[in-house]
Amino acid sequence: MKKILSFVLCALLVVSFLPQGYAEGTVNVFNWEDYIDPDALKIFEQETDIKVNYMNFTTNEDMMVQVRTNPSAFDLIFPSDYVIERLIVEDLLMELDFSQIPNAEGTLDWLENPSYDPDHKYSVPYMWGTVGILYDTTRVKEPIDSWKVLFEDTYKGEIFMLDSIRDSLGLALKYLGYSMNTRDPLELNAAKDLLVKQKQDGIVKAYQVDETKDKMVAGEAIMGVVWSGDAQYAINLNEDLAYVVPKEGSNVWVDGMVIPSAARNPENAHALINFLSRPDIAVMNQEYIQYSTPSEPAIEILGEEYLNNENLNPSQETIDNAEFFYDIPPEFMTIYNALWSQVKNAR
Amino acid sequence: MNNLSIPSWGFWLMGIGFGLFVAMLVHTIRRNRGMKRSFYAWPYTLWMVVFTVLPLVLIAYYAFTDKAGQFTLENFANFWDSNRGMKTQLIAQGFDPEALGMGARGTVNVGTLIYSLWMAFLCTGISLLLGYPAALIMADREFKLGATIVVLFIIPMWMNFLLRTIAWMSLLEDNGLINTLLQSLGFAKLKLMYNSQAVLLGMVYNYLPFMVFPIYNSLNRQDRRLSEAAMDLGANKWTTFWRVIFPISMPGIVSGITMVFMPSVTTFFIPRVLGGGNTEMFGDLIERTFLTADDWNVGSALSLIMMVLILFSLGLLRKVDPEGEGGSLI
């Protein structure tokens, strides 16, 4: 009897270790931190009876490591443009069946055939936005319109930087007048030197990603480098804050919804993409996370207030002046990583 | 990429490691004879093999191979010169690192290790200075609140250390509790966070109980008659402490030092939360190498160096406390 019991217990133990998500009615979602209205997922579960296993990542680079290591763990991921490009190169994505995603019809024209997914086969845009400076209008002395302010000691010790390789090196490159996609070692090295000096001069308060928006609301620093949606989120909670995309130009990015080729529940993932592209749900998510929606019908619902908000709906001039990130192959990323490591460990 | 693409000799290596372990196990069981005891040891043994031994073997495997799975010592050279990978890449693209002014040795890895050791040293020292008197007071039979203090030390440990560290953040922030209080009392605000001191504070706070309890244990177990005898023979309080109580509590101190120093060196997360990511420690460096830079080979080499260093310091401490008398958990 005892033997049987212990055998059963062992079997149970083993079964409980088997990966979750094999079941028919689930979808394993890997998304950015704070990047969806949780109620939207609940509605999806109610409407479809598909259970959502929701997991978070903080930066594109972190996410990519997870997807490469364990490609079958996720059914739906939300990478940025340049990462989608890379995942396509590495043959890690599944071609989407657009007959299952009728709501993707409503995508804005300029996002229909993006450079990162030229034939528009692998991705449906989820949100888009810019990178800029969020600042406290009551504590700055002059109009903020340039990356320059991040590298001068006027606001020493009062600046949050993004703990994200491409964004931080990118804005330094832009300030120096180079492309954010440069592969010139000298330009990259100059950008690194600028960031090292910025840190050694004590200008940087902290390097962080998701914490910045709430800390800015609390008045913890005078300015921070943020993505546009985080900026709008913070402005909604603290009207002293303002957001600007610096005149030297910045980064315009798109986060898409893609399905890994090894996904176990592609059908359910398609259903979720279609659901998230539905105008009313796109509006719900836009209002919750405050990034710009790529859905034309959703913009119609959102109306004047959305269209007149420069943070959510940047002018054509701002977009033309900005760059998309393009894929940097892993070999060359070695150089990026080594330079960023020097910035993070400068004393 | 790193899809566990292990060539046949990698499996051989793992096989040999596993075989050695099983042999060790069989030896232990045979030596102990008592079949019953060894039977109950199996679940734990299985656990150890799957979650401790195999990962260790994997780390060793990655540390000595390159991305293609070929044997190499390059990862350790990379530890010494953190820019080595970058320079190799530049040369492969036809650049001359020296001519670009990018040829210098990268000091990131070694520098971070030294910084981590220094921080761990400070943390251990401060914990000892704070912890010994605390343990002494707690173990004093005439002090009625001793048991209460023991409980007070344990209660915060019921909560996850990540949460406790984040709680410190809301105390130390520029607009945090302490600064708000100072301001309302008319004092100037202090820069309490986003620096190494805050990281050190977080470390001492988190690791202090690991110093206090081993010392408390060894003090508590001491035979009181020894110090009474010393007093009877004319020693004053100070001499009694210095010549009797302190030497007997030495094993407790040694295991306290071990248990604080080890997690201190490998600290991560605390520098990111309380130091604002301005001061990376070796644990953060290893994490970033694995999770952001996607370089499992160099990451494993860094981990291996760290482990060897810890093993070395453990061995050193064993010399001082050969019996592990301080109630050490190791």
Side-chain angles (χ1 to χ4, degrees):
Chain A
M1 189 59 210
K2 247 187 187 165
K3 264 189 181 162
I4 297 171
L5 189 70
S6 59
F7 179 78
V8 171
L9 283 177
C10 283
L12 275 177
L13 194 73
V14 171
V15 169
S16 66
F17 273 120
L18 287 177
Q20 306 281 304
Y22 276 115
E24 192 144 310
T26 57
V27 57
N28 301 309
V29 181
F30 200 29
N31 197 357
W32 296 79
E33 193 98 25
D34 300 333
Y35 208 42
I36 202 163
D37 183 344
D39 287 340
L41 292 176
K42 278 186 204 141
I43 298 174
F44 176 74
E45 287 185 330
Q46 275 165 10
E47 284 182 6
T48 60
D49 257 346
I50 296 169
K51 192 182 168 304
V52 180
N53 290 327
Y54 197 71
M55 293 157 275
N56 285 321
F57 58 85
T58 305
T59 66
N60 274 307
E61 286 70 25
D62 296 0
M63 179 269 295
M64 214 163 6
V65 176
Q66 301 272 332
V67 173
R68 277 177 186 151
T69 314
N70 199 356
S72 63
F74 313 108
D75 300 315
L76 178 60
I77 48 180
F78 293 69
S80 300
D81 33 47
Y82 70 100
V83 177
I84 296 178
E85 204 179 336
R86 168 100 317 246
L87 293 172
I88 294 173
V89 171
E90 290 180 19
D91 206 15
L92 285 167
L93 297 185
M94 182 182 284
E95 279 191 33
L96 299 180
D97 174 6
F98 279 89
S99 69
Q100 292 183 53
I101 316 171
N103 290 333
E105 289 284 309
T107 305
L108 288 171
D109 288 342
W110 69 279
L111 289 167
E112 273 289 357
N113 287 304
S115 56
Y116 57 87
D117 181 9
D119 303 320
H120 198 227
K121 283 196 294 199
Y122 297 95
S123 67
V124 174
Y126 176 63
M127 291 282 165
W128 65 280
T130 54
V131 180
I133 302 173
L134 178 69
Y135 60 97
D136 186 340
T137 49
T138 60
R139 287 157 79 192
V140 294
K141 298 167 195 113
E142 74 272 30
I144 305 295
D145 63 351
S146 162
W147 294 120
K148 195 171 88 176
V149 73
L150 302 178
F151 302 105
E152 293 174 341
D153 54 6
T154 327
Y155 304 107
K156 201 171 165 180
E158 290 294 340
I159 293 175
F160 288 137
M161 290 292 287
L162 273 174
D163 190 0
S164 172
I165 301 183
R166 295 278 318 252
D167 292 291
S168 288
L169 278 169
L171 71 86
L173 284 167
K174 215 65 198 166
Y175 170 59
L176 294 170
Y178 305 135
S179 159
M180 285 184 149
N181 294 301
T182 187
R183 292 198 200 171
D184 180 338
L186 277 180
E187 293 181 358
L188 277 168
N189 203 37
K192 182 263 298 177
D193 287 340
L194 189 66
L195 292 170
V196 166
K197 184 171 183 304
Q198 179 202 30
K199 186 176 177 193
Q200 283 172 341
D201 289 351
I203 297 170
V204 181
K205 187 162 209 164
Y207 295 89
Q208 49 196 15
V209 179
D210 298 307
E211 297 90 341
T212 301
K213 55 181 185 296
D214 288 318
K215 286 192 176 175
M216 286 301 293
V217 172
E220 189 64 15
I222 296 178
M223 60 186 70
V225 179
V226 295
W227 293 305
S228 53
D230 284 0
Q232 190 56 43
Y233 167 93
I235 291 168
N236 291 348
L237 293 174
N238 181 347
E239 56 189 20
D240 289 339
L241 298 176
Y243 175 74
V244 66
V245 177
K247 62 183 179 205
E248 293 91 349
S250 174
N251 164 236
V252 168
W253 49 263
V254 182
D255 288 341
M257 296 180 271
V258 299
I259 305 180
S261 45
R264 293 203 183 98
N265 307 296
E267 296 279 315
N268 297 345
H270 276 91
L272 186 50
I273 293 179
N274 193 43
F275 175 80
L276 291 172
S277 310
R278 207 169 82 189
D280 59 323
I281 301 299
V283 168
M284 202 172 155
N285 280 325
Q286 194 285 322
E287 286 177 340
Y288 191 85
I289 63 175
Q290 297 293 332
Y291 282 94
S292 312
T293 178
S295 160
E296 200 138 28
I299 294 172
E300 272 165 36
I301 300 174
L302 287 161
E304 285 292 305
E305 204 187 330
Y306 177 89
L307 289 172
N308 293 334
N309 187 328
E310 169 74 9
N311 302 342
L312 296 171
N313 188 29
S315 66
Q316 197 55 43
E317 196 194 337
T318 308
I319 296 176
D320 291 344
N321 194 21
E323 272 183 284
F324 270 105
F325 279 135
Y326 295 125
D327 172 44
I328 303 273
E331 307 83 67
F332 203 86
M333 273 312 281
T334 316
I335 297 172
Y336 265 82
N337 279 315
L339 294 174
W340 180 241
S341 205
Q342 288 178 41
V343 174
K344 284 302 294 284
N345 287 286
R347 290 185 225 288
Chain B
M1 289 306 110
N2 286 307
N3 290 337
L4 288 182
S5 49
I6 299 167
S8 55
W9 72 265
F11 281 108
W12 276 110
L13 191 79
M14 277 197 281
I16 292 167
F18 187 75
L20 269 177
F21 186 76
V22 171
M24 249 166 57
L25 207 79
V26 170
H27 176 74
T28 323
I29 292 167
R30 284 180 61 183
R31 203 179 50 187
N32 286 344
R33 297 273 175 211
M35 265 316 281
K36 248 194 164 136
R37 210 186 284 171
S38 59
F39 176 76
Y40 288 118
W42 269 107
Y44 176 67
T45 311
L46 198 71
W47 178 271
M48 275 264 294
V49 171
V50 176
F51 294 110
T52 310
V53 179
L54 279 181
L56 278 178
V57 174
L58 272 177
I59 285 176
Y61 166 75
Y62 274 121
F64 286 103
T65 51
D66 59 15
K67 283 221 153 105
Q70 297 299 311
F71 176 82
T72 178
L73 290 173
E74 189 67 15
N75 303 319
F76 293 93
N78 231 306
F79 164 74
W80 177 245
D81 178 0
S82 57
N83 287 344
R84 203 178 160 86
M86 176 176 83
K87 283 185 269 187
T88 314
Q89 190 53 41
L90 286 172
I91 292 165
Q93 292 187 13
F95 294 106
D96 177 8
E98 298 292 340
L100 294 173
M102 296 165 83
R105 182 175 82 83
T107 54
V108 168
N109 297 337
V110 178
T112 309
L113 182 61
I114 292 170
Y115 172 72
S116 293
L117 288 170
W118 173 239
M119 288 289 278
F121 174 76
L122 287 178
C123 173
T124 315
I126 296 172
S127 298
L128 185 61
L129 286 179
L130 290 174
Y132 199 92
L136 211 55
I137 293 167
M138 277 153 60
D140 185 352
R141 298 233 168 116
E142 274 151 47
F143 181 64
K144 293 271 175 352
L145 288 173
T148 319
I149 295 181
V150 173
V151 173
L152 285 179
F153 258 103
I154 292 175
I155 286 180
M157 294 177 77
W158 292 352
M159 211 166 74
N160 187 288
F161 102 97
L162 302 183
L163 293 176
R164 280 183 278 145
T165 308
I166 289 170
W168 268 107
M169 191 168 87
S170 51
L171 288 176
L172 300 179
E173 275 177 342
D174 284 6
N175 292 323
L177 220 59
I178 294 174
N179 271 326
T180 316
L181 201 71
L182 280 177
Q183 210 173 21
S184 68
L185 294 174
F187 294 104
K189 281 190 185 180
L190 296 173
K191 288 260 166 242
L192 297 168
M193 223 175 87
Y194 310 110
N195 51 33
S196 303
Q197 289 92 310
V199 178
L200 194 59
L201 175 73
M203 284 164 64
V204 170
Y205 169 74
N206 274 307
Y207 303 137
L208 186 61
F210 297 106
M211 180 65 85
V212 173
F213 284 117
I215 298 177
Y216 169 73
N217 272 342
S218 76
L219 285 173
N220 215 20
R221 273 191 326 211
Q222 269 182 31
D223 193 337
R224 303 285 141 168
R225 286 173 302 182
L226 291 174
S227 34
E228 281 166 21
M231 300 278 239
D232 283 347
L233 292 170
N236 62 21
K237 273 197 167 166
W238 173 249
T239 317
T240 311
F241 171 74
W242 193 240
R243 303 289 294 274
V244 180
I245 299 178
F246 185 75
I248 304 180
S249 69
M250 209 54 196
I253 296 176
V254 170
S255 83
I257 289 176
T258 322
M259 288 174 65
V260 172
F261 188 75
M262 277 201 309
S264 299
V265 184
T266 52
T267 296
F268 73 114
F269 186 75
I270 297 177
R272 205 179 325 150
V273 175
L274 298 179
N278 291 317
T279 49
E280 210 167 46
M281 283 182 67
F282 209 62
D284 297 291
L285 183 70
I286 292 174
E287 192 205 7
R288 192 163 50 78
T289 310
F290 271 102
L291 294 185
T292 308
D294 198 10
D295 196 338
W296 292 28
N297 305 99
V298 172
S300 297
L302 296 179
S303 312
L304 209 62
I305 288 166
M306 179 93 274
M307 276 190 286
V308 168
L309 214 73
I310 288 176
L311 254 155
F312 182 73
S313 53
L314 263 181
L316 219 67
L317 280 160
R318 279 286 136 133
K319 284 226 152 45
V320 189
D321 176 25
E323 306 293 321
E325 268 181 39
S328 159
L329 294 180
I330 306 131

